[in-house]
Amino acid sequence: MSALNRLTITEARDLLRKGEVSAVALTEACLGAIQGAGKLNAFVHHTPDLALERAKAADARLASGDAPAMCGIPLGIKDLFCTQGVASQAASRILDGFKPQYESTVSAQLRDAGAVILGKLNMDEFAMGSSNETSVYGNAVNPWKVDARDLTPGGSSGGSAAAVAADLCLAATGTDTGGSIRQPAAFTGTVGIKPTYGRCSRWGIVAFASSLDQAGPMTKTVRDAAIMLEAMCGHDPKDSTSADLPVPDFEALLTGDIRGQKIGIPREYRMEGMPAEIEALWARGAEMLRDAGAEIVDISLPHTKYALPAYYVIAPAEASSNLARYDGVRYGHRAKLALGDGITQMYEKTRAEGFGHEVQRRVMIGTYVLSAGFYDAYYNRARKVRTLIKRDFEQAFATGIDAILTPATPSSAFGLGEMAEADPVQMYLNDVFTVTVNLAGLPGIAVPAGLDAQGLPLGLQLIGRPWEEAALLNTAQVLESAAGFVSKPEKWW
């Protein structure tokens, strides 16, 4: 029974429905795995009592025949999601001690579907980072290892990726503002999908950049992603950007047939200095899809080269507005004040102590680009570039392209501490293949497709038409099947 934590959602669901395994046994297996994986630092708030309570409720539901697909499935929840009565800190000191009296819409929908919440997962502070090194809890560690080096699990959903890859949970929630689901998935050999902006409610998710943030599942297989995504989606009147559209049965639409589809290969993604391994993997992915009956078409997305600078103007600008609410007055951390300090000193000291360096850096950038004299030069220009990037995708899809294939990351996982804080731009370049998807509001998925020369996972990204996650998942499953990626990290933790 100790191997139950290694099951996929699909396998566990089928065993639960047949009565061959219980939700309690599944949950206990995951709790045991979590207890033995402290070196990974993936889980930062543990809720074993709540997990077992929900597992018992799930078993009762299964016995009564009322069993949605996610019923009894043990999950980890990224610390960015507010969870009622459970610490929700966004990996920041400034939210120290914050236990919300409400539940985020996405985690509530998973709870209502019978899923079991094991605890909260590590992440970059306020989702600002690509390596999980900005967390107040300390960095999560990738379960994949090379030469005794600790590697990043990616960011910002690094704890989610590490937990799924190490079989500490069957799946996890993540959020993606510029690649924070897809990059960690690629670094850990897991699957991560960012749905179309508006497909999942943002209500109750601590905001980073409101026009870019989107929740999504991180799973072991594409089929699992389809099952979990359906439970997470749906219109939410509490989120003004939530789409009032029906949610398809994503799993039922996994036909495995992509014959006649057109897959675009954007020439602008062939970056100068791209590692030969990434180039070869990309070519192999295109060949796999061609062998499955798809037509491979070269396309142009001419404004791609402006995506990264535009993103790093828009996202910090929105962050500087969103993070202004953290002042130490109503909740979270408050600095100790000296005699004679006023409200201004309280704000300054609280934010200086409560926000980490990367968050402070982005708030400063955002405040600068929104300031008088620079608003038009930076922020407005970035918004115009965003429109052009979105138009590039629209024109490509208008020619009959069904999906676009690109690398997920410019490299495999790098060592923790290797990208110095002194050069944050080096870290930002990790998002080079993913930020366009957020700027255009499109769905994107990362699928593990091979190993590099060091034996570390490499992923490919598929980008789909808006609201066509079902077709995107189907193409991703074909790619997953052809790649045949079954490697797992050797247990060292």
Side-chain angles (χ1 to χ4, degrees):
M1 297 295 278
S2 61
L4 291 177
N5 55 299
R6 297 178 67 87
L7 295 173
T8 64
I9 290 175
T10 310
E11 293 165 343
R13 174 197 61 185
D14 295 345
L15 290 171
L16 286 164
R17 286 180 171 177
K18 291 175 186 173
E20 295 179 13
V21 70
S22 70
V24 168
L26 263 178
T27 301
E28 287 174 340
C30 289
L31 291 173
I34 293 166
Q35 194 171 16
K39 291 178 182 176
L40 297 180
N41 198 28
F43 276 86
V44 292
H45 297 296
H46 301 263
T47 57
D49 293 341
L50 177 62
L52 289 169
E53 179 187 318
R54 290 193 180 174
K56 289 172 186 174
D59 279 332
R61 214 168 154 182
L62 285 154
S64 71
D66 171 27
M70 292 298 294
C71 189
I73 304 297
L75 303 176
I77 302 295
K78 185 177 180 178
D79 197 37
L80 206 64
F81 293 78
C82 287
T83 42
Q84 188 172 7
V86 177
S88 304
Q89 279 187 236
S92 179
R93 187 184 180 194
I94 207 157
L95 279 170
D96 187 27
F98 177 57
K99 292 184 178 180
Q101 298 307 302
Y102 53 88
E103 189 85 22
S104 79
T105 297
V106 164
S107 56
Q109 287 177 180
L110 289 166
R111 176 199 64 198
D112 295 345
V116 175
I117 309 306
L118 297 166
K120 305 298 286 293
L121 291 160
N122 207 347
M123 55 176 281
D124 280 294
E125 184 181 8
F126 282 103
M128 298 180 193
S130 302
S131 63
N132 214 139
E133 291 174 283
T134 68
S135 170
V136 73
Y137 312 119
N139 53 267
V141 180
N142 197 326
W144 294 80
K145 210 174 182 72
V146 173
D147 301 329
R149 282 189 307 148
D150 281 344
L151 303 176
T152 177
S156 63
S157 307
S160 299
V164 175
D167 295 313
L168 309 186
C169 52
L170 272 59
T173 62
T175 61
D176 194 309
T177 305
S180 286
I181 286 174
R182 291 159 290 150
Q183 183 246 30
F187 278 1
T188 56
T190 55
V191 173
I193 180 169
K194 182 207 90 72
T196 310
Y197 181 79
R199 178 64 91 177
C200 289
S201 171
R202 292 182 300 109
W203 194 86
I205 299 173
V206 178
F208 166 12
S210 301
S211 74
L212 300 164
D213 299 343
Q214 190 61 192
M218 303 186 74
T219 60
K220 299 176 185 180
T221 68
V222 172
R223 184 173 293 275
D224 284 5
I227 294 168
M228 185 170 168
L229 181 61
E230 184 183 349
M232 294 171 67
C233 290
H235 178 242
D236 179 11
K238 296 194 291 293
D239 175 5
S240 62
T241 63
S242 175
D244 191 3
L245 292 172
V247 179
D249 182 341
F250 295 121
E251 186 186 14
L253 295 169
L254 294 175
T255 64
D257 186 1
I258 60 166
R259 288 173 297 178
Q261 286 196 8
K262 288 185 178 180
I263 307 297
I265 306 293
R267 63 178 66 101
E268 289 79 10
Y269 280 56
R270 298 187 189 282
M271 303 288 181
E272 187 178 338
M274 181 188 288
E277 286 177 317
I278 301 291
E279 187 91 45
L281 181 78
W282 191 10
R284 196 159 70 246
E287 195 62 37
M288 291 173 192
L289 295 175
R290 183 185 285 114
D291 291 345
E295 179 185 352
I296 306 301
V297 182
D298 284 330
I299 63 169
S300 178
L301 300 170
H303 294 95
T304 294
K305 63 184 177 182
Y306 305 116
L308 211 56
Y311 172 84
Y312 278 102
V313 170
I314 292 169
E318 295 186 14
S320 73
S321 297
N322 278 324
L323 270 60
R325 71 191 68 174
Y326 303 111
D327 52 18
V329 175
R330 292 152 293 182
Y331 50 80
H333 174 73
R334 181 189 297 181
K336 290 183 179 178
L337 303 180
L339 189 65
D341 281 350
I343 189 75
T344 302
Q345 287 76 21
M346 190 196 73
Y347 285 168
E348 289 175 351
K349 289 182 178 180
T350 294
R351 288 168 174 163
E353 291 177 8
F355 291 141
H357 291 163
E358 181 61 28
V359 172
Q360 291 181 24
R361 180 184 292 121
R362 297 202 195 190
V363 167
M364 294 288 284
I365 291 169
T367 304
Y368 178 79
V369 301
L370 290 175
S371 61
F374 299 104
Y375 185 91
D376 287 330
Y378 293 104
Y379 184 65
N380 256 348
R381 186 172 292 182
R383 288 172 59 226
K384 290 173 182 175
V385 169
R386 180 181 191 171
T387 300
L388 293 172
I389 290 167
K390 187 171 186 286
R391 193 175 299 161
D392 286 348
F393 282 106
E394 289 169 351
Q395 289 172 349
F397 289 129
T399 65
I401 296 296
D402 295 287
I404 296 168
L405 178 70
T406 79
T409 57
S411 69
S412 59
F414 50 88
L416 289 163
E418 286 181 8
M419 292 205 181
E421 186 180 315
D423 184 14
V425 174
Q426 186 185 14
M427 188 75 80
Y428 297 167
L429 290 172
N430 270 280
D431 302 329
V432 66
F433 297 126
T434 52
V435 295
T436 52
V437 178
N438 300 80
L439 289 167
L442 299 172
I445 186 169
V447 179
L451 298 172
D452 71 359
Q454 304 174 86
L456 296 175
L458 295 172
L460 288 171
Q461 175 180 230
L462 282 162
I463 304 167
R465 295 169 175 267
W467 313 115
E468 294 190 12
E469 288 86 0
L472 181 66
L473 285 159
N474 186 50
T475 306
Q477 191 185 47
V478 170
L479 184 62
E480 174 188 59
S481 178
F485 185 92
V486 294
S487 302
K488 298 285 287 186
E490 290 187 18
K491 193 173 186 305
W492 56 266
W493 55 92

